[in-house]
Amino acid sequence: VNIPLSIDELRSRVSGAVLLPSDEAFADTVSAFNTTVRHSPDVAVVPSDTTDVSEAVRFAITHNLPVRVQSTGHGATGSIDGGVLLITRDLDSLSIDRASRIATIGAGVRWGAVIAAAAEFGLAPIAGASGNVGVVGLLTGGGFGPLIRSHGVASDYLRGLTVVTGTGDAVEATAEQNPDLFWALRGGKAGLGIVTEVRIELVELATLYAGSLFFEEQHIEQALRGWTEWTASAPDDVSTSVAIFRFPPFDFIPAPFRGRTLLSLRFAYPGSTAEGERLAAPLRGLAPLYLDALGELPVSQVATIHNDPSDPSPVWDRGVLLNDIDQDFLGELLHHLGSGVEAPFLVAELRHLGSGARRDVPEGSAVGGRSAGFTFVLIGAPNPALFETVLPAAADRLHDAIGPWISPETNVNIAGKLRDSAHFASAWPADTFERLAAVRKRYDPQGVFPHGPVAAER
Ligand SMILES: Cc1cc2nc3c(=O)[nH]c(=O)nc-3n(C[C@H](O)[C@H](O)[C@H](O)COP(=O)(O)OP(=O)(O)OC[C@H]3O[C@@H](n4cnc5c(N)ncnc54)[C@H](O)[C@@H]3O)c2cc1C
């Protein structure tokens, strides 16, 4: 196939930019959040609308090229080689209907923009931890966020999507139209189509009692053990997580954190400050506090609770889900990550699931991992020299030690780099995985959209 000769034809059919590797803007356009990832598609298309997406998919079918899609690049764990890469950044429309509480959002929009726009109306989206993550990428994997226990999974709030299928046709996916595709896109993630727009229902929420309590290295064990015990009977509408941060001694890191190992205990309660204070009291008393950054928080600040980084950098991550955890689990965890241990991870994070995470929508959805008790994610940054062997080996050792607590099921948004087809399949319950394969076959009969562990390598 002589693609360059056909590029003029593609350019004449789409109104957005069509870029080749020789174009100056190409490298910037295809760059990912993880800067060790270097995508090299044959062509990058920046669609201006759904029609452009349809044209690009038809072009790919004609030339037998795979089609992939990138919004913010937060999900990029491996470099894409060849094919058509759609960049959704110009699909940036965002409108809110106050009466119905429905936000209509283009596929290039990040959560931060939705949070800010919704807050103007005293509303909030149920999102993930970071405002920089893309709306569509998170929703199609489910989306476990800082309000997971009180409000459930982000994709529970999806009311409809506009999707370009593997034949290049634009269709609607709602509870009434193509309900199988709607079911699949709520958690089934890739290989189903290119989403150009979503409609989500916002919730009435103006303030939270939320933020983080920080404990110094010598109190990590006491705080962690106390928190774990507390989670066993935690209130249904309080969402918490803990993260051990090993902050490097870099100048750009704020002084209170620079060069320190700290435990951050995040807390989010969507109710009054008085009740929030009462509910948080046992956690404040777990161990001596280093910093108390927990209080009334306008919902516009919900994405600050987790303190996720906003700038692209080299990053490595691996996530699993855990069943219920106990003091024996903590013994193993502290042996590998506790005070005085030289661990290579920048962050090790446990998020408490249960409650809202377990409640599926009445019509059902493809979200994987609803039944798990906790997420457990290891993150390494910014030294790429550790990514090939040191971090994977340390993660393997730790995972072997906590094996009895690891759930056989994971979730596609938190799994990190997919290692093989078994790892991909583990992101859903077996019956959901089978049903997803059938929906993919129906909406992408020729397999135009690669997915799973092959997605990056192909
Ligand atoms: C700092 C950080 C914080 C995170 N926090 C959370 C969290 O709290 N909860 C959680 O559940 N996950 C979280 N994630 C994981 C995140 O939800 C996934 O990586 C998600 O895929 C990112 O979507 P994106 O559009 O930003 O990234 P991209 O890399 O642009 O996209 C990732 C994938 O999403 C799919 N996708 C994106 N756009 C489209 C589209 N238009 N049509 C069809 N498919 C599309 C594709 O499969 C694509 O490969 C986090 C990730 C990072 C890096």
Side-chain angles (χ1 to χ4, degrees):
V1 184
N2 195 338
I3 301 164
L5 284 181
S6 322
I7 290 295
D8 287 344
E9 187 198 329
L10 180 61
R11 284 198 169 121
S12 72
R13 284 169 186 265
V14 305
S15 53
V18 174
L19 298 166
L20 292 174
S22 53
D23 290 315
E24 205 184 315
F26 183 86
D28 257 11
T29 302
V30 304
S31 69
F33 181 73
N34 180 353
T35 54
T36 61
V37 168
R38 295 268 151 73
H39 295 319
S40 51
D42 295 314
V43 54
V45 179
V46 188
S48 313
D49 53 25
T50 301
T51 309
D52 278 2
V53 174
S54 290
E55 288 297 343
V57 170
R58 291 195 177 114
F59 169 86
I61 296 168
T62 306
H63 296 285
N64 197 24
L65 294 169
V67 180
R68 299 181 181 87
V69 56
Q70 179 164 287
S71 172
T72 72
H74 274 68
T77 52
S79 301
I80 290 167
D81 193 14
V84 176
L85 181 60
L86 298 173
I87 302 291
T88 58
R89 67 172 181 224
D90 288 351
L91 302 175
D92 57 357
S93 59
L94 170 58
S95 64
I96 291 173
D97 179 56
R98 182 64 182 86
S100 63
R101 285 191 274 115
I102 298 291
T104 302
I105 309 166
V109 176
R110 294 170 192 256
W111 284 107
V114 185
I115 292 167
E120 302 272 318
F121 296 100
L123 299 172
I126 297 309
S130 161
N132 289 300
V133 165
V135 169
V136 174
L138 180 112
L139 284 175
T140 50
F144 297 162
L147 298 172
I148 182 70
R149 286 173 55 84
S150 58
H151 286 82
V153 178
S155 62
D156 297 349
Y157 294 82
L158 260 172
R159 296 296 171 257
L161 309 95
T162 305
V163 189
V164 173
T165 69
T167 54
D169 298 310
V171 301
E172 293 301 309
T174 68
E176 289 81 32
Q177 292 170 278
N178 301 302
D180 53 348
L181 184 59
F182 186 52
W183 169 86
L185 284 164
R186 295 167 108 178
K189 197 90 182 189
L192 294 157
I194 307 299
V195 176
T196 58
E197 185 185 278
V198 298
R199 273 88 58 199
I200 60 168
E201 189 172 325
L202 306 170
V203 300
E204 302 275 353
L205 200 57
T207 59
L208 304 165
Y209 187 77
S212 181
L213 303 171
F214 290 91
F215 299 90
E216 275 186 296
E217 184 164 6
Q218 66 271 30
H219 300 125
I220 287 179
E221 173 159 5
Q222 197 184 337
L224 210 46
R225 287 191 183 278
W227 173 74
T228 301
E229 217 173 288
W230 176 88
T231 58
S233 55
D236 277 348
D237 47 2
V238 174
S239 305
T240 58
S241 66
V242 289
I244 300 174
F245 282 93
R246 292 184 142 75
F247 291 104
F250 300 149
D251 286 349
F252 66 83
I253 294 177
F257 304 115
R258 197 180 304 146
R260 284 174 187 271
T261 295
L262 298 173
L263 182 82
S264 164
L265 193 172
R266 294 81 158 243
F267 182 102
Y269 169 67
S272 74
T273 296
E275 182 61 3
E277 262 170 17
R278 192 185 70 77
L279 293 168
L283 298 173
R284 280 201 165 93
L286 289 177
L289 284 174
Y290 173 61
L291 269 174
D292 190 333
L294 174 55
E296 188 172 305
L297 193 75
V299 82
S300 59
Q301 300 301 305
V302 63
T304 64
I305 297 171
H306 279 241
N307 272 315
D308 277 336
S310 52
D311 293 332
S313 83
V315 62
W316 177 96
D317 69 311
R318 189 185 290 177
V320 292
L321 298 181
L322 306 173
N323 302 321
D324 282 337
I325 60 174
D326 54 23
Q327 298 298 329
D328 290 343
F329 164 84
L330 289 178
E332 296 293 349
L333 190 78
L334 290 160
H335 178 70
H336 288 81
L337 297 174
S339 172
V341 180
E342 282 288 326
F345 306 106
L346 177 72
V347 187
E349 181 200 67
L350 286 161
R351 295 190 193 180
H352 187 204
L353 300 178
S355 191
R358 294 221 162 110
R359 279 193 301 271
D360 200 354
V361 288
E363 59 274 30
S365 68
V367 176
R370 280 191 190 273
S371 60
F374 295 81
T375 65
F376 179 52
V377 175
L378 295 165
I379 299 172
N383 180 4
L386 304 179
F387 294 5
E388 277 303 310
T389 46
V390 173
L391 287 164
D396 284 347
R397 280 195 299 277
L398 176 49
H399 282 174
D400 284 348
I402 61 166
W405 292 273
I406 295 182
S407 156
E409 198 175 307
T410 173
N411 170 279
V412 66
N413 276 0
I414 71 131
K417 189 179 174 74
L418 296 167
R419 292 185 295 283
D420 50 32
S421 49
H423 189 205
F424 177 59
S426 78
W428 297 275
D431 55 337
T432 301
F433 186 69
E434 268 173 40
R435 213 173 136 192
L436 278 171
V439 179
R440 288 196 182 100
K441 190 105 196 112
R442 176 157 183 226
Y443 290 93
D444 182 19
Q446 299 180 58
V448 177
F449 307 123
H451 57 274
V454 296
E457 283 92 47
R458 228 167 88 170

